[in-house]
Amino acid sequence: MVDTSAALSRSQFTTPDREPADSVELYLAAPLTVGILHTEALRGGHRDLADAVEHAHDTGLAAALDYLAGAALLKVGHHTKLRASRTSVGAFEAGAIPLATVTHLLVAARDGRVLGDVARPHHHLLLARTGVDHVGHEWPVDLAAVWAAAPAIVSCYQVALQRSLASSIGVRWSQRGEFGSDFPELIEPDLTGYLTDYERVVCRPQGAGHDFWDLDVAASRG
């Protein structure tokens, strides 16, 4: 139960004992050159650089979750669905929503093989489809708003990650789309020459029977 008033405009995420049975899986991934930096740092014995990458990856997640808390509201009471869009008309309130997060540095293919050619840092966010309001009533999460917020969620993650690495180890970033990537890549150290050596691979879903939303793809389309 949320310990606040109905006027609160941000939901709170609760940590379930296990992954929510009825959930939507949100997927966030770092730029490819970030994974390359992590891999090369470990190969060269520079644990401090690898730690900086992992810290930045977690900092990005915190920023993404902060934005998500404002987007993932509960659809309270009767709602009228609009045929022309994903949205509905009705009351929205903040609530307590179960959310499980899983963080990986390496991706696993659909057949379970772990791809160890290069690190591909990413997060799996398993967001429950229902939450509880401030008086203990259960309502569905406004997933249409979560989907619409994908570009902003990704932007929060990317910007926080970029700033963390720039502050901790002094990296510099390209412009978005400059090297054919949907997001800025590292140009100091210049790792863009490795972009053609590796491809973006999405990790297999963490569970079965739920929707899988690659937020990076949703953001690039938006």
Side-chain angles (χ1 to χ4, degrees), residues 33-66:
T33 49
V34 172
I36 296 171
L37 174 61
H38 187 275
T39 299
E40 292 302 313
L42 289 182
R43 287 173 178 169
H46 304 293
R47 181 68 245 187
D48 57 330
L49 296 182
D51 287 344
V53 170
E54 294 174 25
H55 176 73
H57 188 42
D58 290 340
T59 299
L61 173 63
L65 291 177
D66 185 62

Side-chain angles (χ1 to χ4, degrees), residues 14-188:
T14 60
T15 304
D17 294 333
R18 59 181 59 87
E19 296 171 0
D22 188 15
S23 62
V24 173
E25 184 168 346
L26 314 179
Y27 186 84
L28 278 170
L32 190 52
T33 49
V34 172
I36 296 171
L37 174 61
H38 187 275
T39 299
E40 292 302 313
L42 289 182
R43 287 173 178 169
H46 304 293
R47 181 68 245 187
D48 57 330
L49 296 182
D51 287 344
V53 170
E54 294 174 25
H55 176 73
H57 188 42
D58 290 340
T59 299
L61 173 63
L65 291 177
D66 185 62
Y67 192 93
L68 179 61
L73 300 180
L74 304 180
K75 299 169 65 172
V76 176
H78 175 73
H79 272 247
T80 300
K81 188 175 182 179
L82 301 180
R83 291 186 301 171
S85 70
R86 293 172 175 261
T87 61
S88 61
V89 177
F92 297 89
E93 290 185 9
I97 305 173
L99 175 77
T101 61
V102 180
T103 297
H104 292 148
L105 292 173
L106 302 176
V107 301
R110 295 279 174 166
D111 61 5
R113 291 180 301 109
V114 175
L115 305 183
D117 56 338
V118 71
R120 294 179 175 88
H122 60 277
H123 299 289
H124 302 260
L125 285 60
L126 289 99
L127 178 70
R129 291 179 176 270
T130 57
V132 178
D133 67 13
H134 68 289
V135 294
H137 295 153
E138 191 172 270
W139 303 101
V141 176
D142 183 13
L143 294 178
V146 173
W147 175 260
I153 295 170
V154 171
S155 177
C156 288
Y157 165 76
Q158 295 279 349
V159 170
L161 180 148
Q162 292 163 20
R163 289 176 175 172
S164 177
L165 281 178
S167 173
S168 62
I169 59 175
V171 304
R172 289 196 307 115
W173 298 89
S174 72
Q175 296 298 313
R176 178 175 178 174
E178 188 175 347
F179 294 94
S181 175
D182 288 329
F183 304 102
E185 298 287 354
L186 287 167
I187 55 175
E188 190 175 308

Side-chain angles (χ1 to χ4, degrees), residues 202-222:
V202 175
C203 191
R204 68 175 181 173
Q206 286 301 289
H210 60 241
D211 291 335
F212 183 91
W213 293 357
D214 186 341
L215 295 188
D216 292 345
V217 173
S220 63
R221 289 175 179 173

